[in-house]
Amino acid sequence: MYIGPYRFDLELRELIHTRSESVSSLKLSDIEYLVLHQLMQARGQVVSTESMCDKFQPKVVSFQDIATAVNNIKRFLGREHSAWIENVAKQGYLLHVKAKERPMLTCALSSISIKNYVLCLILGVLLIIFLAMNLRTTSDISLSMPDKVAIKGTNSILVPIYGLDEDKAKYHSRVKELALKIANCEQVKWQRIYVAPSNDGNKLEFVMNNFADDGKACLNLKVKNVGDDWHFIDDAWLKEAGICE
Protein backbone atom coordinates (compact mmCIF):
# COMPACT_ATOMS: atom_id res chain seq x y z
CA MET A 1 0.00 0.00 0.00
CA TYR A 2 1.45 3.33 -1.07
CA ILE A 3 1.15 7.03 -0.31
CA GLY A 4 3.06 8.49 -3.23
CA PRO A 5 6.70 7.45 -2.67
CA TYR A 6 5.93 6.04 0.79
CA ARG A 7 5.11 2.36 1.26
CA PHE A 8 2.89 1.31 4.15
CA ASP A 9 4.25 -2.05 5.30
CA LEU A 10 1.46 -3.85 7.16
CA GLU A 11 3.66 -6.61 8.54
CA LEU A 12 6.52 -4.45 9.76
CA ARG A 13 4.12 -1.66 10.80
CA GLU A 14 6.37 0.90 9.14
CA LEU A 15 6.03 3.75 6.68
CA ILE A 16 9.00 3.50 4.30
CA HIS A 17 10.33 6.21 1.98
CA THR A 18 11.06 4.31 -1.26
CA ARG A 19 12.85 7.17 -3.02
CA SER A 20 15.49 7.56 -0.34
CA GLU A 21 18.85 6.00 -1.23
CA SER A 22 19.46 5.35 2.46
CA VAL A 23 16.92 3.55 4.63
CA SER A 24 14.27 6.02 5.77
CA SER A 25 11.31 4.66 7.69
CA LEU A 26 8.90 5.49 10.49
CA LYS A 27 8.12 2.75 13.02
CA LEU A 28 4.41 3.24 13.70
CA SER A 29 2.85 3.14 17.13
CA ASP A 30 -0.44 1.25 17.58
CA ILE A 31 -2.43 4.48 17.17
CA GLU A 32 -0.42 5.68 14.16
CA TYR A 33 -0.76 2.28 12.50
CA LEU A 34 -4.53 2.10 12.96
CA VAL A 35 -5.08 5.72 11.88
CA LEU A 36 -3.04 5.26 8.71
CA HIS A 37 -4.68 1.91 7.95
CA GLN A 38 -8.18 3.40 8.19
CA LEU A 39 -7.24 6.41 6.07
CA MET A 40 -5.80 4.21 3.33
CA GLN A 41 -8.81 1.89 3.33
CA ALA A 42 -11.13 4.90 2.97
CA ARG A 43 -8.88 6.81 0.54
CA GLY A 44 -10.73 9.89 -0.73
CA GLN A 45 -13.32 9.80 2.08
CA VAL A 46 -13.39 11.49 5.47
CA VAL A 47 -12.78 9.14 8.40
CA SER A 48 -14.33 10.53 11.57
CA THR A 49 -12.17 10.92 14.67
CA GLU A 50 -14.90 9.18 16.67
CA SER A 51 -14.68 6.04 14.52
CA MET A 52 -10.91 5.96 14.96
CA CYS A 53 -11.27 6.18 18.74
CA ASP A 54 -13.93 3.46 18.71
CA LYS A 55 -11.49 1.02 17.08
CA PHE A 56 -9.44 1.00 20.28
CA GLN A 57 -12.26 0.11 22.67
CA PRO A 58 -12.14 -0.88 25.49
CA LYS A 59 -8.86 1.07 25.52
CA VAL A 60 -9.54 4.80 25.85
CA VAL A 61 -8.01 6.93 23.09
CA SER A 62 -8.68 10.66 22.98
CA PHE A 63 -9.10 13.02 20.03
CA GLN A 64 -5.76 14.54 21.00
CA ASP A 65 -4.09 11.12 20.75
CA ILE A 66 -5.43 10.78 17.20
CA ALA A 67 -4.29 14.31 16.30
CA THR A 68 -0.80 13.60 17.64
CA ALA A 69 -0.60 10.38 15.60
CA VAL A 70 -1.67 12.20 12.41
CA ASN A 71 0.86 14.98 13.02
CA ASN A 72 3.65 12.44 13.48
CA ILE A 73 2.76 10.79 10.18
CA LYS A 74 2.52 14.14 8.36
CA ARG A 75 5.89 15.19 9.79
CA PHE A 76 7.50 12.05 8.33
CA LEU A 77 5.82 12.65 4.95
CA GLY A 78 7.52 16.03 4.84
CA ARG A 79 6.44 19.38 3.49
CA GLU A 80 5.91 18.11 -0.06
CA HIS A 81 3.46 15.32 0.81
CA SER A 82 2.01 16.12 4.23
CA ALA A 83 -0.93 17.95 2.61
CA TRP A 84 -2.17 14.60 1.29
CA ILE A 85 -3.61 14.00 4.75
CA GLU A 86 -6.16 16.73 5.46
CA ASN A 87 -7.78 17.69 8.76
CA VAL A 88 -11.45 18.26 7.97
CA ALA A 89 -12.78 20.57 10.68
CA LYS A 90 -15.26 18.98 13.11
CA GLN A 91 -15.35 15.80 11.03
CA GLY A 92 -12.09 13.90 10.95
CA TYR A 93 -9.27 13.22 8.51
CA LEU A 94 -9.00 12.58 4.78
CA LEU A 95 -6.29 10.89 2.70
CA HIS A 96 -6.50 12.35 -0.80
CA VAL A 97 -6.97 10.05 -3.78
CA LYS A 98 -3.99 11.55 -5.62
CA ALA A 99 -1.71 9.70 -3.17
CA LYS A 100 -1.83 6.64 -5.44
CA GLU A 101 -1.00 3.04 -4.58
CA ARG A 102 1.99 2.08 -6.72
CA PRO A 103 5.69 1.49 -6.45
CA MET A 104 7.67 4.56 -7.37
CA LEU A 105 10.28 4.99 -10.07
CA THR A 106 13.71 6.36 -9.37
CA CYS A 107 16.86 7.02 -11.37
CA ALA A 108 18.77 3.78 -11.77
CA LEU A 109 22.28 5.22 -11.99
CA SER A 110 23.91 8.49 -11.00
CA SER A 111 27.63 7.78 -11.26
CA ILE A 112 27.82 7.15 -15.05
CA SER A 113 25.95 8.56 -18.03
CA ILE A 114 22.92 6.74 -19.39
CA LYS A 115 24.59 6.50 -22.81
CA ASN A 116 27.63 4.72 -21.40
CA TYR A 117 25.45 2.46 -19.28
CA VAL A 118 23.39 1.33 -22.27
CA LEU A 119 26.48 0.84 -24.42
CA CYS A 120 28.10 -1.30 -21.74
CA LEU A 121 24.94 -3.34 -21.33
CA ILE A 122 24.54 -3.93 -25.07
CA LEU A 123 28.22 -4.79 -25.49
CA GLY A 124 27.93 -7.25 -22.63
CA VAL A 125 24.97 -9.01 -24.24
CA LEU A 126 26.72 -9.09 -27.65
CA LEU A 127 29.86 -10.53 -26.03
CA ILE A 128 27.86 -13.36 -24.48
CA ILE A 129 26.25 -14.12 -27.87
CA PHE A 130 29.65 -14.04 -29.60
CA LEU A 131 31.20 -16.41 -27.09
CA ALA A 132 28.27 -18.81 -27.34
CA MET A 133 28.46 -18.90 -31.15
CA ASN A 134 32.23 -19.02 -31.64
CA LEU A 135 33.82 -20.79 -28.69
CA ARG A 136 33.76 -24.44 -27.80
CA THR A 137 33.15 -25.08 -24.15
CA THR A 138 34.10 -28.06 -22.04
CA SER A 139 31.50 -30.07 -20.16
CA ASP A 140 32.06 -28.13 -16.96
CA ILE A 141 31.66 -24.69 -18.55
CA SER A 142 28.26 -23.22 -19.44
CA LEU A 143 27.02 -19.87 -20.65
CA SER A 144 23.68 -18.47 -19.50
CA MET A 145 22.21 -16.80 -22.58
CA PRO A 146 19.59 -14.05 -22.19
CA ASP A 147 16.24 -15.07 -23.67
CA LYS A 148 14.76 -12.58 -26.08
CA VAL A 149 10.98 -12.42 -25.76
CA ALA A 150 9.24 -10.98 -28.82
CA ILE A 151 6.49 -8.51 -27.98
CA LYS A 152 3.54 -9.61 -30.10
CA GLY A 153 2.31 -7.16 -32.74
CA THR A 154 5.44 -4.98 -32.54
CA ASN A 155 9.06 -5.05 -33.65
CA SER A 156 10.12 -4.75 -30.02
CA ILE A 157 11.85 -7.35 -27.86
CA LEU A 158 12.05 -7.85 -24.12
CA VAL A 159 15.41 -9.09 -22.84
CA PRO A 160 15.64 -10.32 -19.23
CA ILE A 161 19.03 -9.99 -17.52
CA TYR A 162 19.60 -12.30 -14.56
CA GLY A 163 22.25 -11.96 -11.90
CA LEU A 164 22.16 -15.67 -11.03
CA ASP A 165 21.33 -18.75 -13.11
CA GLU A 166 18.54 -19.79 -10.75
CA ASP A 167 16.77 -16.45 -11.28
CA LYS A 168 15.81 -17.53 -14.80
CA ALA A 169 13.46 -20.22 -13.53
CA LYS A 170 12.13 -17.90 -10.84
CA TYR A 171 11.22 -15.01 -13.14
CA HIS A 172 10.61 -16.64 -16.53
CA SER A 173 6.81 -16.66 -16.24
CA ARG A 174 6.73 -13.08 -14.98
CA VAL A 175 8.83 -11.88 -17.91
CA LYS A 176 6.44 -13.55 -20.36
CA GLU A 177 3.45 -11.93 -18.61
CA LEU A 178 5.22 -8.56 -18.82
CA ALA A 179 5.71 -9.04 -22.57
CA LEU A 180 1.97 -9.71 -22.96
CA LYS A 181 1.09 -6.57 -21.00
CA ILE A 182 3.42 -4.45 -23.13
CA ALA A 183 1.87 -5.96 -26.26
CA ASN A 184 -1.50 -4.55 -25.16
CA CYS A 185 -0.19 -0.97 -25.39
CA GLU A 186 -1.42 1.20 -28.23
CA GLN A 187 2.19 1.94 -29.11
CA VAL A 188 5.47 0.70 -27.64
CA LYS A 189 8.08 3.47 -27.55
CA TRP A 190 11.16 1.26 -27.50
CA GLN A 191 12.45 -1.57 -29.69
CA ARG A 192 14.67 -3.05 -26.99
CA ILE A 193 13.56 -3.32 -23.38
CA TYR A 194 15.97 -4.88 -20.88
CA VAL A 195 14.58 -5.91 -17.50
CA ALA A 196 16.82 -6.99 -14.60
CA PRO A 197 15.10 -8.34 -11.46
CA SER A 198 17.19 -8.47 -8.31
CA ASN A 199 17.80 -11.88 -6.79
CA ASP A 200 15.68 -11.08 -3.74
CA GLY A 201 12.81 -9.90 -5.95
CA ASN A 202 12.64 -6.51 -4.27
CA LYS A 203 13.87 -4.40 -7.17
CA LEU A 204 13.39 -4.17 -10.93
CA GLU A 205 15.69 -2.24 -13.27
CA PHE A 206 14.78 -1.32 -16.84
CA VAL A 207 16.89 -0.01 -19.71
CA MET A 208 15.24 0.83 -23.04
CA ASN A 209 16.52 2.03 -26.41
CA ASN A 210 15.99 1.61 -30.14
CA PHE A 211 18.12 -0.30 -32.65
CA ALA A 212 19.39 2.81 -34.47
CA ASP A 213 20.08 4.91 -31.38
CA ASP A 214 23.54 3.59 -30.50
CA GLY A 215 22.89 4.68 -26.94
CA LYS A 216 22.10 8.29 -27.88
CA ALA A 217 18.46 8.09 -26.85
CA CYS A 218 17.43 5.76 -24.09
CA LEU A 219 15.54 5.52 -20.83
CA ASN A 220 16.49 3.76 -17.63
CA LEU A 221 14.56 3.43 -14.41
CA LYS A 222 14.51 1.50 -11.18
CA VAL A 223 11.49 0.25 -9.25
CA LYS A 224 12.00 -0.36 -5.54
CA ASN A 225 9.92 -2.39 -3.07
CA VAL A 226 8.42 -4.59 -5.77
CA GLY A 227 7.19 -7.26 -3.38
CA ASP A 228 6.23 -10.83 -4.24
CA ASP A 229 4.86 -10.17 -7.72
CA TRP A 230 4.65 -7.62 -10.51
CA HIS A 231 0.90 -6.99 -10.21
CA PHE A 232 1.40 -3.21 -10.16
CA ILE A 233 2.44 -3.25 -13.84
CA ASP A 234 -0.67 -2.28 -15.80
CA ASP A 235 -1.49 -0.01 -18.78
CA ALA A 236 -1.36 3.15 -16.67
CA TRP A 237 1.96 2.21 -15.07
CA LEU A 238 3.56 1.35 -18.42
CA LYS A 239 2.62 4.79 -19.75
CA GLU A 240 3.85 6.55 -16.63
CA ALA A 241 7.13 4.64 -16.79
CA GLY A 242 7.62 5.77 -20.39
CA ILE A 243 7.54 2.26 -21.88
CA CYS A 244 4.29 2.76 -23.78
CA GLU A 245 2.42 5.69 -25.26
Side-chain angles (χ1 to χ4, degrees):
M1 303 174 72
Y2 283 81
I3 303 177
Y6 298 87
R7 179 166 63 90
F8 180 33
D9 193 309
L10 297 174
E11 294 184 1
L12 296 178
R13 289 178 170 249
E14 290 184 353
L15 192 59
I16 303 169
H17 189 191
T18 61
R19 286 184 182 174
S20 175
E21 291 300 324
S22 59
V23 177
S24 179
S25 63
L26 173 65
K27 190 69 176 180
L28 301 168
S29 67
D30 289 343
I31 298 178
E32 292 164 353
Y33 172 83
L34 187 60
V35 166
L36 189 56
H37 197 199
Q38 289 191 73
L39 289 175
M40 295 192 78
Q41 287 184 319
R43 190 185 298 265
Q45 302 176 13
V46 176
V47 179
S48 70
T49 309
E50 291 88 344
S51 67
M52 292 182 182
C53 292
D54 289 344
K55 289 289 184 180
F56 286 94
Q57 290 184 355
K59 180 179 178 180
V60 177
V61 174
S62 68
F63 283 19
Q64 183 57 46
D65 293 330
I66 300 296
T68 300
V70 171
N71 287 334
N72 289 341
I73 296 169
K74 288 166 68 72
R75 189 179 302 112
F76 180 72
L77 294 178
R79 182 178 301 177
E80 182 180 358
H81 303 114
S82 61
W84 285 348
I85 299 180
E86 181 182 351
N87 181 1
V88 182
K90 298 182 180 180
Q91 295 185 53
Y93 298 92
L94 165 72
L95 176 62
H96 287 279
V97 175
K98 64 181 180 182
K100 297 180 180 178
E101 295 184 32
R102 62 172 183 270
M104 302 304 295
L105 311 180
T106 62
C107 179
L109 294 177
S110 57
S111 58
I112 63 174
S113 68
I114 294 177
K115 176 180 177 180
N116 289 338
Y117 176 76
V118 173
L119 286 175
C120 290
L121 182 61
I122 293 173
L123 288 174
V125 172
L126 292 177
L127 177 61
I128 293 174
I129 296 173
F130 173 81
L131 291 173
M133 294 177 64
N134 294 278
L135 297 182
R136 294 181 179 180
T137 59
T138 61
S139 58
D140 58 343
I141 298 177
S142 64
L143 292 174
S144 180
M145 292 290 295
D147 294 325
K148 294 181 180 180
V149 180
I151 299 176
K152 188 176 180 180
T154 73
N155 63 347
S156 302
I157 58 173
L158 179 64
V159 183
I161 305 295
Y162 303 118
L164 299 174
D165 288 340
E166 54 264 31
D167 290 346
K168 182 175 180 180
K170 185 190 303 184
Y171 296 113
H172 180 68
S173 61
R174 300 185 192 180
V175 170
K176 293 184 68 175
E177 290 175 4
L178 175 58
L180 292 174
K181 290 181 179 180
I182 296 175
N184 288 330
C185 295
E186 293 183 7
Q187 184 174 350
V188 182
K189 295 176 63 174
W190 308 97
Q191 293 173 305
R192 284 181 291 207
I193 303 171
Y194 299 91
V195 56
S198 63
N199 182 247
D200 61 7
N202 197 44
K203 182 173 64 177
L204 282 175
E205 295 193 51
F206 293 85
V207 175
M208 292 151 279
N209 76 330
N210 293 319
F211 296 128
D213 286 340
D214 294 327
K216 296 177 182 177
C218 66
L219 174 68
N220 70 327
L221 58 91
K222 177 166 59 179
V223 188
K224 297 180 179 179
N225 302 306
V226 173
D228 294 331
D229 55 51
W230 301 357
H231 69 281
F232 62 91
I233 300 179
D234 54 20
D235 292 344
W237 187 92
L238 289 170
K239 290 181 179 179
E240 180 191 4
I243 297 175
C244 298
E245 294 183 344

